Amino acid sequence: MHKDLLYTKTHEWVRVEDEIAVIGITDFAQEQLGDITYVELPSVGDMLEAGQEMGSVESVKAASELYCPVSGEVIEVNEELESTPEKVNTDPFGEGWMLRLRLTAEPADLLSPEEYEEIAKSEH
């Protein structure tokens, strides 16, 4: 569990640095999905609200929607995931990051690492 991140109940993580948020899915989420074969992400310039659907991931087991943990403007997407979606499996907190947003509101309703760990344990 990464102690410097915040989490959502829908298994996304977010790292907030000044007004920029980096977003991905958790190790627990990628384990539950299995081998990820496709990642759909929004476009640079899109405005997203916290809780809004921001894309999806497909794996050999299932497809799953992604929900934005914070509100902001998409300033970068991880384009490498188009050709190598398996990076989400191999390094979900590093090379498997998905979006960078410029925050338009203070992050709210996010979980601490300890709170998220309890949710992940209960769903395991």
Side-chain angles (χ1 to χ4, degrees):
M1 191 63 54
H2 289 251
K3 300 294 185 190
D4 61 330
L5 304 177
L6 296 170
Y7 299 88
T8 67
K9 292 178 182 173
T10 52
H11 309 290
E12 289 86 11
W13 59 260
V14 60
R15 177 183 304 118
V16 177
E17 299 165 347
D18 295 323
E19 63 183 31
I20 306 300
V22 183
I23 298 166
I25 65 170
T26 66
D27 192 46
F28 175 80
Q30 69 81 19
E31 277 184 21
Q32 296 297 307
L33 287 164
D35 293 338
I36 292 174
T37 57
Y38 180 74
V39 178
E40 180 183 358
L41 297 172
S43 301
V44 171
D46 285 356
M47 298 298 293
L48 299 173
E49 295 292 323
Q52 179 182 353
E53 190 176 317
M54 66 177 191
S56 62
V57 291
E58 293 179 20
S59 70
V60 294
K61 289 184 180 176
S64 182
E65 287 78 32
L66 300 169
Y67 297 96
C68 195
V70 293
S71 298
E73 177 185 2
V74 179
I75 59 170
E76 188 177 1
V77 296
N78 187 350
E79 294 178 358
E80 289 185 35
L81 298 182
E82 286 182 28
S83 58
T84 54
E86 63 273 15
K87 285 187 177 185
V88 176
N89 290 116
T90 58
D91 192 10
F93 297 105
E95 291 185 346
W97 68 275
M98 296 180 171
L99 299 179
R100 290 185 203 281
L101 295 183
R102 184 179 320 280
L103 295 173
T104 54
E106 284 293 313
D109 299 327
L110 297 173
L111 303 172
S112 70
E114 295 77 16
E115 291 169 324
Y116 177 73
E117 193 169 13
E118 288 301 313
I119 288 173
K121 280 182 186 174
S122 70
E123 293 184 13
H124 209 275

